[in-house]
Amino acid sequence: MSRKLLVMFMAAMLAVMALAAGCGNDKAASTEKVLKVGTNADFAPFEFQGEDGKEYQGFDMDLIRAVGKEMGYKVEISNLNFDGLIPALEAGNIDIAVSGMTINEERLKKVLFSDPYYQSGLSIIVAKDNDAIKTFKDLEGKKVAVQIGTTSAMEVKKLSNVEVKEFNSSADTFMELRAKGVDAVVNDRPVNDYYIMQSGETSVKRLDELLTSEDYGMAISKNNAELQKQVNDALKKLHENGEYDKIFAKWFEAKK
Ligand code: ARG
């Protein structure tokens, strides 16, 4: 009898130990440092979702995963409206916004930016048979589609007498142009170029003129200078060890 009790006791002890070990593992997993990344994943080749609609792809996505790895963080990406990214940072819902976001004065009042990681600018797309629009000046008196909250929206509004139509995503602006709801789309040059190249869209063309020169940076909450430093250190490392160049070539050079 007492032997039986002893066996039962030992079995119980083993069960408790197994449980404790299990808990230990869970705890290890939950203390893994997580970097909450916000993006607006409709901006190829910087951020977009693959065919299956799940996996986040693009230059920015590869870059932030490499930055996270360098910093020892697990990267968790969520898809938000572009104009919701800075509010999400301010509310502490995300740690960093990586979304082809241009560093500018207005945004610097609200957030910190990493060092610049990509040089961009704004360009125009029009219908192939449109000979009336050749430069930004020609947009006067015309209807132009832009994405809400972007530098395109800000810049086009500065031109006189332009009817600006704002959309939630750049995909929507392209759709509006194809549907002839607008005369032109103003958007970031690499995104316009990628759209024309990848979509095989032959009814539209891109114009060469650039309205602005803009630098992309990763946006971070004002009260997280520590993260800004970690991200800049990681970016510097990736430049030094050739990882940045590899990611750049994957998205920009290989497609030419
Ligand atoms: N560079 C422009 C800006 O900062 C457009 C960025 C849009 N990004 C996006 N993922 N939709 O305003």
Side-chain angles (χ1 to χ4, degrees):
M1 184 67 174
S2 75
R3 203 189 167 90
K4 202 171 176 187
L5 259 178
L6 187 66
V7 168
M8 275 169 72
F9 176 74
M10 280 170 67
M13 282 295 283
L14 277 173
V16 167
M17 278 164 67
L19 258 175
C23 287
N25 283 341
D26 281 346
K27 203 160 172 218
S30 68
T31 52
E32 185 174 13
K33 293 183 287 179
V34 171
L35 188 66
K36 285 185 275 166
V37 177
T39 194
N40 175 236
D42 206 342
F43 203 63
F46 294 94
E47 43 265 344
F48 58 103
Q49 284 176 287
E51 305 275 274
D52 59 0
K54 280 210 174 77
E55 176 82 15
Y56 292 103
Q57 297 182 26
F59 177 75
D60 283 351
M61 302 294 95
D62 285 350
L63 191 60
I64 191 59
R65 286 189 185 110
V67 163
K69 196 165 166 210
E70 198 60 57
M71 290 170 22
Y73 279 68
K74 179 174 175 239
V75 165
E76 259 175 34
I77 298 167
S78 42
N79 192 10
L80 306 174
N81 279 341
F82 186 73
D83 63 347
L85 290 170
I86 289 182
L89 279 173
E90 290 178 317
N93 295 337
I94 55 172
D95 301 314
I96 188 164
V98 187
S99 198
M101 193 182 282
T102 301
I103 303 170
N104 67 19
E105 287 302 312
E106 194 182 322
R107 292 172 182 158
L108 279 166
K109 285 182 198 147
K110 299 179 186 157
V111 291
L112 302 174
F113 275 100
S114 70
D115 291 336
Y117 67 85
Y118 183 92
Q119 207 207 333
S120 190
L122 303 180
S123 74
I124 307 176
I125 292 189
V126 294
K128 187 141 254 165
D129 58 3
N130 184 331
D131 292 324
I133 301 175
K134 293 201 166 65
T135 69
F136 276 91
K137 187 114 195 22
D138 300 331
L139 294 178
E140 286 179 16
K142 301 287 192 303
K143 277 190 211 154
V144 179
V146 294
Q147 186 183 8
I148 297 174
T150 59
T151 47
S152 292
M154 295 174 213
E155 293 299 329
V156 170
K157 284 176 192 171
K158 286 186 201 159
L159 302 172
S160 59
N161 189 29
V162 174
E163 189 182 323
V164 184
K165 289 180 99 179
E166 297 184 84
F167 296 87
N168 253 322
S169 72
S170 59
D172 289 347
T173 65
F174 296 139
M175 218 150 66
E176 187 71 3
L177 179 65
R178 288 199 306 270
K180 304 209 182 306
V182 287
D183 303 294
V185 164
V186 172
N187 192 14
D188 295 41
R189 186 250 322 144
V191 175
N192 283 343
D193 291 355
Y194 193 90
Y195 165 66
I196 292 194
M197 205 164 40
Q198 293 299 300
S199 66
E201 183 58 64
T202 52
S203 66
V204 299
K205 63 182 177 194
R206 38 153 285 193
L207 304 181
D208 287 331
E209 190 195 10
L210 292 182
L211 180 61
T212 55
S213 168
E214 308 184 357
D215 281 323
Y216 293 168
M218 302 180 177
I220 296 157
S221 155
K222 272 258 197 234
N223 49 39
N224 205 350
E226 174 58 30
L227 180 60
Q228 181 192 37
K229 188 183 175 311
Q230 283 178 289
V231 168
N232 282 340
D233 287 347
L235 281 173
K236 198 158 160 264
K237 265 265 188 59
L238 299 174
H239 275 290
E240 285 164 4
N241 68 16
E243 192 62 27
Y244 177 95
D245 289 343
K246 259 194 225 156
I247 298 173
F248 190 95
K250 173 177 168 190
W251 292 103
F252 300 106
E253 278 149 30
K255 313 274 173 185
K256 276 181 190 157

